Amino acid sequence: MPQQRFPKIEIKHIAPHEITFVLSETDTSMANTLRRIMIAEVPTLAIDLVEYHENSSVLNDEYIAHRLGLIPIRYSPDGTLKGGDCHQAFVPHRECVCYDRCPRCSVEFDLDVNFDKVNMSRPEQERDLPLTVTSRDLIANNVQVSPAHFLNEEEQDNAHDEGISIVKLGQGQHLRLKAIARMGISKEHAKWCPVAVATYRFWPEITINQEACNNLTMEQKQELVDACPDRILELDEITGNLKPTEGAEELATFTEDLKYAQDAMKRRPEDDDYVQVTHSTDRFLFSVESSGAMDAEDILLSSLRVLKDRLNYLAAEVEKLKD
Amino acid sequence: MANRPERSDAFLLGDDEEKIEYQPDTKVANAGTFTLNKEDHTVGNLLRMQLLRDPQVKFAGYMHPHPLVNRIHLKVQTSTSQVAPTESLSAAIEDLSNETDHLITSVTDAIEKWKRENDTGMM
C-alpha cells in the first residue's frame, strides 16, 4: 500500500546568495535529510591539488595550498555569472577514465605573480608596498569556471572587488603555481561545502483563545504582549483583541516567558491557556545561504537530485536482495 | 596521523563491500536487519520514518554504531508473514523516491512562480 506524501513548497525569498522557503506536508525526517544533503553531499568544485614551481613568499607551500582550497569556485555554464550545478559538466576524478587528469574531471588554474615585475607597473605612491596575491590572479583553463567574485552583473558593475587575499609578496618574492580544481562533496572536506548556512525551523502555530482572553483586562493583555521578547503578539487597535503580529511565524522563538506570564494571570492553574505557541510537526521554514560556489536555488535543486539518485540506487540494490 | 581513515571511506564503497546486506532475525518471525554500507542518519532516519508510516510494519529502527563506522543497521519487523521486510523496505524507498520527484517539480514550479511575481531583472 503506497504511503506517499505530496509535500508543498512555498518560496519566501530568492537572491543569488540566499533562499528562504517553507516546506510543508512532510515530516522532520525529510526536512533533516534535505538539510544534511545540502551541507554534506552536494557536489561543487574546489582546488584539491597544487603544483608549486616557485614559492619564495613568506608562507609555506602547504599553507598556501590550504588557502587555495578554501576559495569558492563557481561553475557558470551559460555565459552569465550564475553559479550552476557542476555535476553534469564534470566527472568525479576517481571515476574518470583518464590516467592522471583531464578536462572532464578537473580544471587547471595558473598563478604567476612576481613582485619585481608587477612593481614596475604600479603607481608611484604604491611602489615597494607589499603586493597582495588574490584569487583574481588565478587564471583558469576553462572559461566556465572561475573563483567566486560576483553573484550577478549588477554587483560586478558596482563593487570594487579585489578578490580573496591569498598571500602578500615583498621585494624579490615570486609565486608561481598550478592549482587543480576537482569536483567533490564536503563529506570528504569542508572546502566542497556549497552552503554557509542551511537550517530549518519549525513553523510556529500561534493559537489565541479569544474566549479566555475576554476575561483579561487591557493591562493584562498588554502584559502578555510585553512578555514576548520576540514580539510575536500585538493588540488590535480597534477591537482590543490580542493577535499575532505580521511575520510572527518568522520571529517566534518558542520562549517560555509567555507561559510564565499567563500562568500568573490564571485564576486556577488548570485554566485554558490564553495564547499557545507550539511547534508544527509538518511545516518547516528553511533558510539556505550559499558560500558563493553555487546559487542558493541550485543548491536546493541539486540536493533533491542527489537524494533522488541515492534512492534510485538503493532501490536497485534492494531489488538485488530479493533474488 | 598514521592510522587516520581515508576521508573517502565515508562515501566510497570498498571493493569487498555490498551496498545493502540482509540478515533475517533468528528469533523473531518476519524480522531482519539490513546493513546499509556508507550511509548515515541522512538516509537512515528517512527510511525509518517512512517504514513506520506503513501499517504492515510492526517495528522499524536504525542504528549508526559509531561516528567513525560508515554504515547503519536498519531493523524491520512486519506484522504478517505475507509481507517480507525486504518488500516493505522496497516500498518505502519507492514512496520516498516518488515524494522526491514530486518535490523536484514543485520546487522548480515555485522558483519559476516566484521569479515571475518578483521580476527584479537580476536573473
Side-chain angles (χ1 to χ4, degrees), chain A residues 207-246:
Chain A
T207 33
I208 296 173
N209 187 342
Q210 290 299 357
E211 208 178 309
C213 284
N214 289 338
N215 302 327
L216 294 175
T217 63
M218 284 310 275
E219 286 73 32
Q220 282 177 312
K221 285 181 188 172
Q222 187 59 44
E223 208 177 304
L224 283 180
V225 169
D226 296 335
C228 304
D230 44 14
R231 303 263 144 241
I232 54 167
L233 294 178
E234 65 183 8
L235 282 175
D236 194 302
E237 280 173 23
I238 302 155
T239 59
N241 286 336
L242 280 170
K243 62 171 189 183
T245 50
E246 197 141 327

Side-chain angles (χ1 to χ4, degrees), chain A residues 167-322:
Chain A
V167 63
K168 285 185 177 180
L169 298 182
Q171 258 177 15
Q173 294 182 345
H174 186 186
L175 181 65
R176 187 157 81 88
L177 55 85
K178 178 176 280 200
I180 290 109
R182 289 163 167 171
M183 191 167 80
I185 60 171
S186 77
K187 261 192 180 178
E188 184 168 4
H189 193 287
K191 67 187 173 186
W192 278 296
C193 184
V195 295
V197 183
T199 57
Y200 64 87
R201 39 189 284 142
F202 298 97
W203 190 262
E205 268 162 9
I206 304 170
T207 33
I208 296 173
N209 187 342
Q210 290 299 357
E211 208 178 309
C213 284
N214 289 338
N215 302 327
L216 294 175
T217 63
M218 284 310 275
E219 286 73 32
Q220 282 177 312
K221 285 181 188 172
Q222 187 59 44
E223 208 177 304
L224 283 180
V225 169
D226 296 335
C228 304
D230 44 14
R231 303 263 144 241
I232 54 167
L233 294 178
E234 65 183 8
L235 282 175
D236 194 302
E237 280 173 23
I238 302 155
T239 59
N241 286 336
L242 280 170
K243 62 171 189 183
T245 50
E246 197 141 327
E249 287 82 7
E250 274 129 83
L251 297 170
T253 52
F254 305 101
T255 165
E256 295 274 284
D257 297 4
L258 187 63
K259 185 177 168 297
Y260 296 132
Q262 59 183 325
D263 280 351
M265 285 176 204
K266 287 179 191 169
R267 284 206 195 89
R268 288 167 298 161
E270 63 270 26
D271 279 355
D272 288 342
D273 280 339
Y274 301 110
V275 183
Q276 254 184 342
V277 185
T278 51
H279 295 267
S280 164
T281 50
D282 67 346
R283 207 169 150 84
F284 310 93
L285 182 63
F286 268 81
S287 166
V288 178
E289 221 175 282
S290 162
S291 71
M294 267 168 101
D295 278 7
E297 57 183 89
D298 290 288
I299 298 174
L300 172 59
L301 285 166
S302 189
S303 70
L304 287 166
R305 181 193 51 77
V306 170
L307 177 59
K308 173 77 191 154
D309 291 352
R310 176 70 52 80
L311 290 168
N312 285 350
Y313 174 38
L314 288 175
E317 292 291 321
V318 173
E319 282 305 311
K320 274 200 241 166
L321 279 183
K322 285 185 182 170

Side-chain angles (χ1 to χ4, degrees), chain A residues 15-285:
Chain A
H17 63 283
E18 192 179 34
I19 183 168
T20 48
F21 60 93
V22 177
L23 173 70
S24 54
E25 293 177 36
T26 185
D27 77 348
T28 327
S29 65
M30 186 44 103
N32 201 38
T33 297
L34 284 182
R35 182 190 66 86
R36 285 178 64 98
I37 291 179
M38 286 193 264
I39 292 172
E41 293 180 53
V42 171
T44 58
L45 292 169
I47 291 172
D48 195 28
L49 196 65
V50 186
E51 289 172 4
Y52 288 89
H53 297 279
E54 185 160 354
N55 176 16
S56 48
S57 75
V58 290
L59 298 184
N60 59 40
D61 294 357
E62 291 83 352
Y63 208 114
I64 293 175
H66 180 238
R67 288 184 173 195
L68 289 170
L70 296 178
I71 294 171
I73 308 283
R74 276 169 97 77
Y75 165 69
S76 316
D78 45 4
T80 62
L81 289 166
K82 195 172 166 8
D85 187 352
C86 63
H87 95 281
Q88 276 177 326
F90 295 94
V91 183
H93 66 97
R94 292 188 188 87
E95 288 168 25
C96 193
V97 290
C98 63
Y99 171 64
D100 186 24
R101 59 173 182 267
C102 66
R104 278 289 287 156
C105 64
S106 58
V107 181
E108 287 180 12
F109 290 91
D110 282 306
L111 185 145
D112 185 1
V113 184
N114 188 334
F115 182 89
D116 298 327
K117 271 191 204 155
V118 178
N119 204 27
M120 311 282 269
S121 55
R122 293 164 95 191
E124 191 75 40
Q125 67 273 20
E126 279 181 28
R127 285 277 158 85
D128 300 325
L129 287 173
L131 171 72
T132 312
V133 180
T134 69
S135 55
R136 281 155 72 98
D137 295 310
L138 288 165
I139 314 294
N141 72 345
N142 181 336
V143 286
Q144 295 176 324
V145 177
S146 65
H149 285 137
F150 302 106
L151 300 164
N152 53 47
E153 276 86 1
E154 189 190 353
E155 204 177 287
Q156 189 174 34
D157 295 341
N158 299 331
H160 302 281
D161 175 76
E162 279 161 12
I164 301 163
S165 304
I166 298 166
V167 63
K168 285 185 177 180
L169 298 182
Q171 258 177 15
Q173 294 182 345
H174 186 186
L175 181 65
R176 187 157 81 88
L177 55 85
K178 178 176 280 200
I180 290 109
R182 289 163 167 171
M183 191 167 80
I185 60 171
S186 77
K187 261 192 180 178
E188 184 168 4
H189 193 287
K191 67 187 173 186
W192 278 296
C193 184
V195 295
V197 183
T199 57
Y200 64 87
R201 39 189 284 142
F202 298 97
W203 190 262
E205 268 162 9
I206 304 170
T207 33
I208 296 173
N209 187 342
Q210 290 299 357
E211 208 178 309
C213 284
N214 289 338
N215 302 327
L216 294 175
T217 63
M218 284 310 275
E219 286 73 32
Q220 282 177 312
K221 285 181 188 172
Q222 187 59 44
E223 208 177 304
L224 283 180
V225 169
D226 296 335
C228 304
D230 44 14
R231 303 263 144 241
I232 54 167
L233 294 178
E234 65 183 8
L235 282 175
D236 194 302
E237 280 173 23
I238 302 155
T239 59
N241 286 336
L242 280 170
K243 62 171 189 183
T245 50
E246 197 141 327
E249 287 82 7
E250 274 129 83
L251 297 170
T253 52
F254 305 101
T255 165
E256 295 274 284
D257 297 4
L258 187 63
K259 185 177 168 297
Y260 296 132
Q262 59 183 325
D263 280 351
M265 285 176 204
K266 287 179 191 169
R267 284 206 195 89
R268 288 167 298 161
E270 63 270 26
D271 279 355
D272 288 342
D273 280 339
Y274 301 110
V275 183
Q276 254 184 342
V277 185
T278 51
H279 295 267
S280 164
T281 50
D282 67 346
R283 207 169 150 84
F284 310 93
L285 182 63

Side-chain angles (χ1 to χ4, degrees), chain B residues 5-6 13 23 43 49 62 73 76 90 102 115 117-118:
Chain B
E6 278 295 318
L13 214 54
Q23 187 65 48
V43 164
M49 293 309 282
Y62 82 104
H73 298 289
V76 183
S90 178
H102 175 80
K115 283 186 179 168
E117 287 167 5
N118 303 271

Side-chain angles (χ1 to χ4, degrees), chain B residues 18-74:
Chain B
E18 288 289 325
K19 183 69 185 176
I20 306 180
E21 289 152 39
Y22 178 60
Q23 187 65 48
D25 200 299
T26 48
K27 290 178 185 158
V28 186
N30 314 321
T33 306
F34 297 92
T35 305
L36 296 132
N37 284 311
K38 309 302 178 204
E39 288 297 350
D40 57 11
H41 297 289
T42 307
V43 164
N45 192 34
L46 190 66
L47 289 177
R48 176 186 70 122
M49 293 309 282
Q50 186 65 34
L51 282 163
L52 288 173
R53 283 160 43 76
D54 188 337
Q56 287 170 318
V57 170
K58 202 173 187 180
F59 176 88
Y62 82 104
M63 176 180 77
H64 187 199
H66 187 274
L68 287 176
V69 177
N70 300 303
R71 60 165 189 268
I72 54 164
H73 298 289
L74 181 68

